[in-house]
Amino acid sequence: MFDFKYFTPTKVVFGKNTEAKVAELIEEFGGTKVLIHYGGGSVVRSGLLKKVTDTLDAAGISYVTLGGAVPNPRLSLVYEGIKLCKKENVDFLLAVGGGSAIDSAKAIGYGVANEGDVWDFYDYKRKPAACLPLGVILTIAATGSEMSDSSVITKEEGLVKRGCNSDYSRAKFAIMNPELTMTLPDYQTACGCTDIMMHTMERYFTNGGNMEITDALAEGLLRTVKKNALILYKDPKNYDARAEVMWAGSLSHNGLTGCGNDGGDWMTHKMEHELGGLYDVAHGAGLAAIWGSWARYVYKNCLHRFKKFALNVMEVENTGTDEEIALRGIEAMEDFYRSIEMPTNLRELGVQPTEDELKDMAHKCAVGVGGAKGSAKVLDEAAMLEIFKASM
Ligand code: NZQ
Ligand code: ZN
């Protein structure tokens, strides 16, 4: 077990109609002029945005709005948001939507609260020293950005997708009403479940510092999301299943399932970010398309964890060698992806990179992680290329 810090300052308000509390929460955290930031329009169509603005109007809280945060949110909109906040003296950000709106809001918050070009924080040139306070109304269970320290932005020039991690960006509050996720397309629900599981799996497949309590939480979370993803596949309006998945999404990426270990592997995420930057694929689907190839490449180097995963999460038969059990677990995970219509390779994801594009992604990924990275197995550029090729 390694020493760890666990910092989760976000006040969670969970349940039906909790979005009605948005004005009192903004007041509680000192907001007087709000930027409401949202995505491509689902919150307009569902009536959620109107409900929020009506609530703020009734409470006498002034606001400006900025929509347009797309999946794999773009830097240009972040710049626009920073300009708008400065012009309007915004002192509080409210993201209404999913990871893309939340991450874009976090980036805007960095840009307003710090001097210089906000991209420097995503290009690892500097670290942010502050962020505007942020509140969230979550509409998709997926990234955990509502409780995470992370924000992922894509720079249009060069199609570079990079993340910035800082506790300054952790949301002051997160409103989570599972009913708000019932308008999601089935594909996005499945992508979300995949991403949620992956945030814990990245922390689980490590070679350092594992704790029994952390493993128990992780395995329980993974089994719960798997079970409820299958329920939602058949019954998307199931409130309890929506609620289980939504809360799992936050717990999976707020640090809880990584306490005591070496920080996690994260290479499936790093490689997916290259796919997302280049092909604009949905994040969860991109993860599913790569994971099996990654797992087969690394499992022998982390055999005890893959065996544990196979038995305790995928609940495969405990017979044969450790390697056979581990491989059965990987296959069972891929079967699960197929059962919720997630891709298990790039072809099924709908992208067909050329050899040069594969090399380019591996190169950009290696540069992004500083040469080589991973805990289940350390991957260099050549290893990343092999995994990309195996996932074709
Ligand atoms: O844009 P709108 O119109 O709102 O539509 C969205 C979008 O098309 C739609 N949607 C969301 N809630 C809905 C809904 N449609 C109907 N009803 C609802 N209730 O779903 C689509 C996906 O939304 P998005 O916000 O992009 O999804 P997600 O939450 O998966 O966020 C993905 C982004 O977050 C990053 C990903 O890389 C990607 O850029 N990540 C952020 C992390 C973090 N900050 O901690 C960690 C993750 O690993 C991830 O990298
Ligand atoms: Zn993710």
Side-chain angles (χ1 to χ4, degrees):
M1 175 199 162
F2 291 117
D3 297 347
F4 63 88
K5 273 189 270 177
Y6 179 58
F7 181 59
T8 50
T10 305
K11 180 169 189 166
V12 173
V13 183
F14 195 101
K16 291 179 183 173
N17 203 32
T18 41
E19 61 275 17
K21 298 193 187 310
V22 64
E24 61 188 81
L25 284 163
I26 290 170
E27 279 166 352
E28 182 181 332
F29 290 100
T32 61
K33 181 74 185 266
V34 181
L35 173 75
I36 303 174
H37 194 39
Y38 59 97
S42 71
V43 300
V44 178
R45 291 190 295 279
S46 68
L48 177 61
L49 185 64
K50 171 90 169 52
K51 200 170 168 188
V52 169
T53 53
D54 285 352
T55 308
L56 297 201
D57 286 338
I61 299 174
S62 62
Y63 56 84
V64 286
T65 60
L66 179 66
V70 292
N72 303 309
R74 307 296 198 269
L75 182 61
S76 56
L77 188 71
V78 171
Y79 289 142
E80 197 182 323
I82 295 167
K83 228 165 117 184
L84 180 63
C85 285
K86 287 184 174 168
K87 180 169 159 260
E88 297 285 341
N89 291 317
V90 164
D91 60 12
F92 197 92
L93 302 167
L94 178 68
V96 186
S100 297
I102 302 169
D103 286 8
S104 184
K106 287 176 177 178
I108 292 169
Y110 289 141
V112 175
N114 298 274
E115 296 295 321
D117 186 355
V118 70
W119 184 251
D120 289 352
F121 304 131
Y122 294 81
D123 214 11
Y124 317 124
K125 286 192 184 130
R126 297 185 290 143
K127 284 195 176 299
C131 186
L132 274 189
L134 165 74
V136 171
I137 301 179
L138 190 64
T139 64
I140 169 172
T143 64
S145 187
E146 67 279 5
M147 283 185 90
S148 82
D149 66 350
S150 172
S151 153
V152 188
I153 298 295
T154 297
K155 183 181 186 173
E156 290 91 332
E157 189 194 332
L159 294 173
V160 192
K161 182 174 173 179
R162 291 281 179 268
C164 170
N165 293 64
S166 163
D167 281 333
Y168 290 117
S169 74
R170 290 196 195 254
K172 300 291 179 203
F173 67 80
I175 290 175
M176 289 187 235
N177 174 358
E179 284 184 327
L180 296 179
T181 68
M182 288 188 188
T183 50
L184 277 169
D186 295 341
Y187 182 73
Q188 289 296 338
T189 298
C191 285
C193 292
T194 303
D195 192 23
I196 292 168
M197 292 181 76
M198 198 63 73
H199 291 152
T200 286
M201 287 155 70
E202 296 278 21
R203 292 170 166 95
Y204 187 89
F205 292 111
T206 64
N207 271 311
N210 301 112
M211 286 179 82
E212 200 178 312
I213 177 71
T214 300
D215 281 355
L217 289 165
E219 289 165 1
L221 185 147
L222 292 171
R223 282 193 305 269
T224 303
V225 178
K226 183 161 83 66
K227 176 181 157 191
N228 286 285
L230 292 170
I231 293 173
L232 290 176
Y233 182 72
K234 293 209 174 103
D235 181 14
K237 301 275 186 224
N238 186 311
Y239 179 85
D240 288 339
R242 288 275 175 202
E244 297 282 355
V245 165
M246 194 172 215
W247 186 222
S250 302
L251 297 184
S252 194
H253 205 31
N254 75 354
L256 182 66
T257 59
C259 290
N261 74 22
D262 63 359
D265 186 90
W266 296 105
M267 282 314 296
T268 309
H269 262 79
K270 296 291 178 193
M271 293 178 69
E272 189 289 324
H273 284 174
E274 299 309 325
L275 278 175
L278 200 55
Y279 298 106
D280 213 12
V281 295
H283 174 61
L287 293 171
I290 297 174
W291 185 79
S293 302
W294 169 84
R296 285 193 178 81
Y297 191 87
V298 307
Y299 80 98
K300 286 186 190 162
N301 209 55
C302 193
L303 194 55
H304 61 301
R305 306 293 295 168
F306 276 89
K307 180 184 173 189
K308 200 168 147 57
F309 174 79
L311 294 174
N312 297 351
V313 178
M314 303 316 293
E315 297 168 313
V316 305
E317 209 180 309
N318 189 5
T319 55
T321 64
D322 287 358
E323 282 195 19
E324 284 166 352
I325 294 169
L327 281 172
R328 225 178 278 141
I330 295 169
E331 278 159 21
M333 188 69 201
E334 288 181 319
D335 285 345
F336 164 72
Y337 287 147
R338 287 185 200 101
S339 67
I340 57 168
E341 292 188 46
M342 282 287 99
T344 55
N345 55 50
L346 297 188
R347 190 176 27 81
E348 288 170 10
L349 180 65
V351 301
Q352 284 184 307
T354 61
E355 178 88 18
D356 281 350
E357 283 167 339
L358 291 173
K359 283 185 185 159
D360 185 43
M361 284 196 291
H363 179 67
K364 275 173 25 192
C365 190
V367 170
V369 300
K373 198 179 178 302
S375 172
K377 186 178 171 86
V378 176
L379 305 181
D380 59 12
E381 186 174 327
M384 295 173 204
L385 181 58
E386 270 201 56
I387 293 170
F388 274 131
K389 280 184 179 169
S391 65
M392 285 290 283

